[in-house]
């Protein structure tokens, strides 16, 4: 090496620092690639992406190849720097040369290329894959030996290749990805995607219409009363009872009842004839599973029962779809106002509102793993029926009891600041 001209040594040193930058930068670029974007580009026919994807299937081999090249470049650069130092100043300048080389490798061979790689990983990784693919084939025996020895060391400490968790995302991680997508996904679509992810954690009981709000027909009632109930019902499919809500006969379509009334008159036998067998579901069924059940059973309405078979409420396909896409437009005559803003900016809230609906309307985070209504949440917190005028702070949200009955809290008032993020909410009763 002493016979090589000084100019040649300087050129070689610059080349080696460039190689060090290449290996360092492309290593960072390849391992910071978004795996899902990489897969998308590979499926779209980007050859660099396909080669990078193949290389990343065996990261141990890729790391071995990159570190082999980087180590070789750095060691050879150190040797050349020593020779150059001997040419210029003898042994006394070797230490200065080592310090200068360390500074240059740190700036130009490590920090700068790795920073660029984190900012533009695809721009560096895809072209680099064209270099690493044939290089891996050429140096495969050396890389295999390095990996064999390295994996042997890992096995000694109890680590085996392939024992990692992979790149699959958990539901919560996927929620984070969707939430932080920003302008890449419109806000409306983002809300729907998050709602779909929430279907697994919510159950039928969370969104059902409770039994005290279920509209149904009792065949023991007078014919005129039955006709009036059908005429003013807010739903097209109605449960049919015999002597009380706990004695369910079936579910009928109001259109069929109208046809029966026009053809033969609407008697009890006719109602029984047009009623379909009731479809019961457990209260703890996850919403995602219930959506599949509705599709499989070709049903649009289900009657919810507890573990003892007692009737708890009713859920419809529309209710379930509204959990994903939001409230459908309805006729105001078919809905009730549960949150109402008064002149001073405060909110009057009907305590029959579901906790999930209230969270969605006011962007609160009240717990949903306990009582399903605001009334139930207040009673659980107070452990008694509060008197009107009672003030409380429920999970950080101040409110005042406005109206109660013997066994429920009917209405509460929220101060103006509680409703700043809220909106008027309507739903069918």
């Amino acid at each position: 090496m002493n016979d090589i001209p000084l100019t040649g040594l300087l050129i070689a040193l610059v080349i080696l620092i460039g190689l060090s930058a290449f290996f360092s930068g492309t290593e960072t670029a390849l391992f910071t690639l978004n795996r899902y974007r990489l897969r998308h580009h590979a499926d779209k026919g980007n050859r660099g992406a396909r080669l990078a994807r193949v290389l990343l299937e065996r990261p141990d081999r890729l790391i071995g190849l990159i570190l082999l090249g980087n180590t070789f470049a750095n060691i050879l650069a150190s040797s050349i720097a020593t020779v150059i130092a001997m040419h210029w100043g003898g042994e006394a300048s070797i230490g200065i040369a080592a310090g200068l080389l360390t500074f240059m490798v740190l700036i130009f061979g490590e920090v700068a290329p790795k920073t660029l790689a984190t900012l533009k990983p695809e721009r560096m990784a895809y072209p680099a894959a064209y270099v690493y693919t044939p290089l891996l084939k050429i140096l495969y025996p050396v890389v295999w030996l390095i990996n064999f020895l390295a994996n042997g060391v890992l096995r000694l400490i109890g680590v085996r290749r392939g024992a990692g968790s992979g790149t699959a995302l958990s539901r919560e991680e996927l929620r984070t990805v969707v939430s932080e997508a920003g302008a890449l996904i419109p806000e409306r679509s983002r809300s729907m995607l998050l709602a779909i992810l929430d279907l697994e954690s919510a159950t039928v009981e969370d969104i059902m219409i409770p039994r005290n709000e279920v509209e149904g027909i009792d065949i023991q009632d007078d014919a005129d009363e039955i006709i009036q109930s059908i005429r003013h019902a807010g739903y097209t499919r109605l449960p049919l009872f015999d002597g009380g809500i706990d004695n369910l006969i079936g579910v009928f379509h109001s259109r069929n009842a109208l046809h029966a009334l026009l053809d033969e008159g609407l008697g009890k036998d006719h109602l029984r004839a047009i009623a379909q067998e009731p479809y019961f579901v457990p209260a703890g069924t996850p919403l995602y599973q219930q959506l599949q059940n509705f599709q499989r059973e070709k049903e649009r309405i289900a009657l919810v029962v507890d573990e003892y078979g007692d009737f708890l409420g009713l859920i419809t396909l529309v209710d379930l779809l509204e959990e994903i896409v939001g409230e459908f437009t309805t006729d105001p005559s078919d809905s009730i106002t549960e949150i109402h803003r008064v002149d001073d900016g405060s909110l009057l809230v009907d305590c029959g509102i579901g906790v999930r609906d209230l969270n969605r309307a006011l962007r609160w985070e009240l717990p949903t793993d306990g009582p399903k209504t605001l009334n139930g949440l207040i009673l659980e917190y107070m452990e008694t029926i509060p008197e009107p005028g009672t003030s409380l702070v429920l999970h950080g949200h101040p409110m005042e009891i406005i109206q109660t009955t013997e066994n429920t809290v009917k209405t509460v008032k929220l101060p103006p600041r509680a409703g700043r993020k809220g909106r008027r909410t309507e739903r069918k009763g």
Side-chain angles (χ1 to χ4, degrees):
M1 190 176 292
N2 290 329
D3 297 331
I4 300 176
L6 187 60
T7 303
L9 292 176
L10 289 172
I11 293 173
L13 182 61
V14 172
I15 293 174
L16 289 172
I17 293 176
L19 285 175
S20 177
F22 171 79
F23 288 119
S24 297
T26 54
E27 176 188 12
T28 300
L30 283 163
F31 286 99
T32 56
L33 281 173
N34 184 303
R35 295 297 192 271
Y36 300 97
R37 186 178 294 119
L38 173 63
R39 184 179 304 172
H40 172 71
H41 288 167
D43 293 340
K44 289 294 184 180
N46 187 311
R47 188 164 183 267
R50 288 203 302 266
L51 293 175
R53 185 178 177 182
V54 172
L55 289 170
L56 289 170
E57 289 177 355
R58 286 297 303 270
D60 55 335
R61 292 178 180 173
L62 181 58
I63 290 175
L65 174 63
I66 293 174
L67 293 183
L68 177 64
N70 202 13
T71 302
F72 173 80
N74 288 337
I75 291 177
L76 189 56
S78 178
S79 301
I80 292 177
T82 301
V83 174
I84 293 174
M86 292 290 293
H87 271 288
W88 276 348
E91 295 182 0
S93 60
I94 293 178
I96 298 175
L100 290 174
L101 180 64
T102 300
F103 180 78
M104 293 181 65
V105 169
L106 181 64
I107 299 300
F108 299 104
E110 295 289 339
V111 176
K114 287 188 175 183
T115 302
L116 177 62
T118 57
L119 297 175
K120 305 288 184 181
E122 295 165 12
R123 186 173 295 182
M124 293 186 66
Y126 293 171
Y130 286 96
V131 177
Y132 286 133
T133 299
L135 193 60
L136 180 60
K137 295 178 180 179
I138 296 171
L139 299 177
Y140 184 79
V142 180
V143 174
W144 180 87
L145 179 61
I146 293 173
N147 287 333
F148 176 78
L149 296 175
N151 290 333
V153 173
L154 292 177
R155 282 193 293 270
L156 291 177
I157 60 176
V159 178
R160 294 185 179 274
R161 186 179 64 82
S165 58
T167 59
L169 295 177
S170 67
R171 188 168 63 214
E172 290 306 315
E173 290 170 336
L174 186 55
R175 280 183 60 87
T176 301
V177 171
V178 174
S179 299
E180 296 181 354
L184 297 176
I185 303 178
E187 183 178 359
R188 179 65 174 168
S189 301
R190 199 158 60 238
S191 298
M192 291 175 61
L193 290 172
L194 292 174
I196 292 173
L197 293 175
D198 286 337
L199 289 184
E200 280 289 352
S201 58
T203 63
V204 165
E205 188 178 12
D206 291 325
I207 68 167
M208 71 178 184
I209 302 169
R211 58 177 286 158
N212 63 307
E213 297 181 15
V214 171
E215 298 180 29
I217 302 299
D218 191 339
I219 63 172
Q220 299 298 333
D221 292 338
D222 294 334
D224 291 340
E225 186 176 349
I226 291 175
I227 293 173
Q228 289 298 320
S229 298
I230 294 174
R231 179 179 299 172
H232 295 100
Y235 295 92
T236 56
R237 289 175 172 81
L238 299 171
L240 184 63
F241 314 128
D242 187 1
I245 196 170
D246 290 316
N247 188 15
L248 288 161
I249 299 176
V251 176
F252 69 94
H253 200 293
S254 57
R255 181 179 57 200
N256 296 335
L258 178 60
H259 291 164
L261 175 64
L262 295 175
D263 294 341
E264 305 171 355
L266 195 60
K268 296 180 180 179
D269 292 337
H270 296 146
L271 281 175
R272 288 180 180 272
I274 65 175
Q276 299 177 349
E277 185 176 346
Y279 171 47
F280 295 101
V281 298
T285 305
L287 293 183
Y288 181 75
Q289 180 62 49
Q290 185 55 44
L291 184 60
Q292 293 180 314
N293 292 344
F294 274 137
Q295 185 179 31
R296 183 179 63 251
E297 301 294 336
K298 302 296 188 292
E299 297 283 354
R300 291 177 174 268
I301 184 172
L303 305 175
V304 184
V305 295
D306 63 11
E307 58 183 313
Y308 303 106
D310 294 332
F311 177 62
L312 297 180
L314 178 148
I315 182 174
T316 68
L317 179 60
V318 172
D319 295 329
L320 208 159
L321 292 177
E322 284 180 345
E323 286 295 302
I324 301 175
V325 301
E327 296 284 339
F328 292 119
T329 301
T330 58
D331 187 341
S333 63
D334 292 334
S335 27
I336 61 173
T337 302
E338 295 173 316
I339 301 178
H340 178 68
R341 189 180 299 277
V342 295
D343 293 339
D344 63 356
S346 58
L347 299 177
L348 290 178
V349 182
D350 180 350
C351 293
I353 188 173
V355 176
R356 289 169 58 85
D357 293 336
L358 187 62
N359 283 341
R360 189 158 46 236
L362 301 183
R363 301 181 187 178
W364 285 2
E365 295 183 358
L366 297 175
T368 57
D369 54 352
K372 306 305 179 185
T373 65
L374 178 59
N375 169 62
L377 210 58
I378 293 174
L379 295 184
E380 181 186 63
Y381 178 78
M382 299 293 291
E383 298 182 347
T384 185
I385 306 296
E387 295 291 333
T390 302
S391 296
L392 69 150
V393 178
L394 185 65
H395 296 279
H397 303 291
M399 57 188 65
E400 179 186 354
I401 308 298
I402 299 299
Q403 183 183 6
T404 63
T405 64
E406 292 183 357
N407 56 2
T408 62
V409 179
K410 293 290 292 181
T411 310
V412 298
K413 184 177 182 180
L414 308 181
R417 64 179 180 275
R420 288 176 183 170
K421 296 181 179 179
R423 62 179 184 272
R424 185 183 178 92
T425 301
E426 294 183 348
R427 58 171 280 196
K428 282 188 175 181

